[in-house]
Amino acid sequence: MIRFIGRRLLFLCFVLLGISVITFALTHLVPGDPARLMAGQHATGEQVKELAQRYGLDKPVTTQFWIYMKGLMTGDLGMSLTNRRPVLDDLRQFLPASVELTAAAVLLVVLVGLPIGLLTGARHGKALDHVMRFVTVSGVSMPIFWLGILMQILFYQHLKILPLGGRLGVLDIEPPGVTGFYLIDTLLDGDFETFRSALIHLILPATTLAAGSIAVISRMMRASVIEVLDADYVRTAQAKGLPAGAVLRFHVFRNALIPTTTILGLQVGALLAGNVLAEVVFNWPGIGLYAVNAIKNLDYPAIMGVTLAISVIYVFVNLLVDIAYVMLDPRISFDGVA
């Protein structure tokens, strides 16, 4: 297992290098002058030139990339061109909000998507199966930003039971920044009123973000359950008179979960990408909203920092998925998933 993790971490270095090259090239191909955006439209040419020299924007692209990579080797992600702060400090501030939102969405996907897939797979061809297939297709087809706006109209404007956006209410005080996750920090501080506010503010964006992935996971789980139900060991268990519920729990669910785990790992990447739209719609102060502002201002270091942070998270999630394979099926070894 140690060798397997070591190989994956070594692979991470090559992934980050490739992503750095691609992202750096794409951001510099976008037409625009970040120095002009920083200085403002009324700035003189001399002021723009001075800013470009200060941040190294007047150097050739290859030189800028080499300087950035040298800094990256020492853990320096550069200085944001928008707020003049180290990008690493910005990520420390905004990343916990995105991770909290993504974790809540993943929890919803697991708690809702897997049971729906199990039930519809066990009752395939029945009325419940047809209804849930229609619902899941609708969930996959619905864009995140459109679903988010509909949720705001329904639950905020009409029903008035959930907030419009943000992490806390206007009158709420932010908890002490121990972990950056409001749900955890409020509990550590013993502030249950603010915990309730943070939880309520999390419902709409997490549900919106998770809707598409719930549909994907439930359909994948359904297909896996239908396949496992035709296996010899399942028919043997049924022939021995084992109750249907026990067959599903002990023989079907765990074996159907193996291929679904792969898709679940991929969906974490989709949720991280979908964070951008969800955070913009719900004004959620995470790296998605931070990335949108960086793109509008051609903030190269900030764009690079967000991309690399998401890439690292995605690689580690896939590492956890591969480890989960071995735990779910003893027949699979770490050599088999390498």
Side-chain angles (χ1 to χ4, degrees), residues 4-337:
F4 170 75
I5 295 176
R7 287 198 302 268
R8 282 305 180 91
L9 293 179
L10 180 62
F11 173 70
L12 173 62
C13 298
F14 293 102
V15 170
L16 294 181
L17 177 61
I19 290 175
S20 299
V21 173
I22 295 172
T23 306
F24 200 90
L26 290 177
T27 53
H28 282 73
L29 286 175
V30 176
D33 185 358
R36 166 61 66 181
L37 291 173
M38 282 191 294
Q41 61 181 5
H42 301 296
T44 63
E46 287 297 324
Q47 291 173 323
V48 174
K49 184 178 179 180
E50 180 184 351
L51 278 176
Q53 291 176 345
R54 182 188 305 174
Y55 290 97
L57 298 173
D58 59 331
K59 294 181 172 60
V61 175
T62 53
T63 304
Q64 292 183 46
F65 180 72
W66 175 244
I67 293 174
Y68 181 82
M69 291 305 297
K70 286 198 299 183
L72 186 62
M73 295 299 178
T74 61
D76 181 11
L77 298 180
M79 189 76 67
S80 171
L81 305 179
T82 305
N83 56 22
R84 317 303 202 268
R85 290 182 54 193
V87 173
L88 191 59
D89 291 345
D90 286 342
L91 292 180
R92 289 195 187 104
Q93 178 181 346
F94 297 114
L95 186 59
S98 294
V99 173
E100 187 173 50
L101 177 58
T102 303
V106 171
L107 185 63
L108 284 175
V109 171
V110 172
L111 295 181
V112 178
L114 293 182
I116 288 177
L118 182 63
L119 291 176
T120 54
R123 297 176 176 271
H124 63 281
K126 304 290 181 63
L128 176 63
D129 183 30
H130 294 307
V131 171
M132 293 311 302
R133 276 195 293 172
F134 173 78
V135 172
T136 53
V137 169
S138 301
V140 172
S141 306
M142 185 76 72
I144 288 179
F145 68 90
W146 181 248
L147 178 60
I149 294 173
L150 291 179
M151 298 275 276
Q152 287 175 328
I153 294 174
L154 176 61
F155 291 99
Y156 173 75
Q157 182 175 346
H158 292 295
L159 299 180
K160 302 185 186 303
I161 58 176
L162 291 175
L164 183 65
R167 295 186 76 184
L168 291 174
V170 178
L171 301 179
D172 293 325
I173 300 176
E174 292 186 8
V178 179
T179 64
F181 306 119
Y182 280 5
L183 293 181
I184 296 177
D185 290 344
T186 50
L187 288 178
L188 292 176
D189 193 42
D191 189 351
F192 298 105
E193 187 64 31
T194 307
F195 171 81
R196 178 178 174 276
S197 177
L199 184 61
I200 290 175
H201 279 78
L202 188 60
I203 293 175
L204 277 187
T207 303
T208 301
L209 185 60
S213 295
I214 288 174
V216 172
I217 291 300
S218 62
R219 289 180 66 83
M220 183 63 195
M221 188 66 179
R222 172 186 177 274
S224 298
V225 168
I226 293 174
E227 182 179 354
V228 172
L229 284 172
D230 288 333
D232 292 336
Y233 56 86
V234 173
R235 287 197 293 267
T236 301
Q238 292 171 338
K240 289 181 177 181
L242 198 65
V247 173
L248 286 177
R249 288 196 304 271
F250 300 116
H251 295 278
V252 175
F253 179 74
R254 182 169 180 173
N255 289 284
L257 196 59
I258 296 174
T260 308
T261 303
T262 303
I263 306 300
L264 182 60
L266 295 175
Q267 286 303 304
V268 173
L271 292 173
L272 287 169
N275 255 345
V276 176
L277 294 175
E279 290 180 8
V280 170
V281 171
F282 292 98
N283 193 30
W284 190 266
I287 59 172
L289 190 59
Y290 175 70
V292 170
N293 293 328
I295 292 171
K296 289 192 297 185
N297 293 287
L298 291 180
D299 192 342
Y300 302 141
I303 296 172
M304 292 288 295
V306 171
T307 305
L308 292 176
I310 293 177
S311 302
V312 170
I313 294 173
Y314 191 58
V315 170
F316 273 101
V317 167
N318 279 275
L319 174 62
L320 295 177
V321 168
D322 288 339
I323 294 174
Y325 282 157
V326 180
M327 298 176 64
L328 289 170
D329 191 346
R331 296 172 299 179
I332 302 176
S333 65
F334 284 110
D335 292 332
V337 298

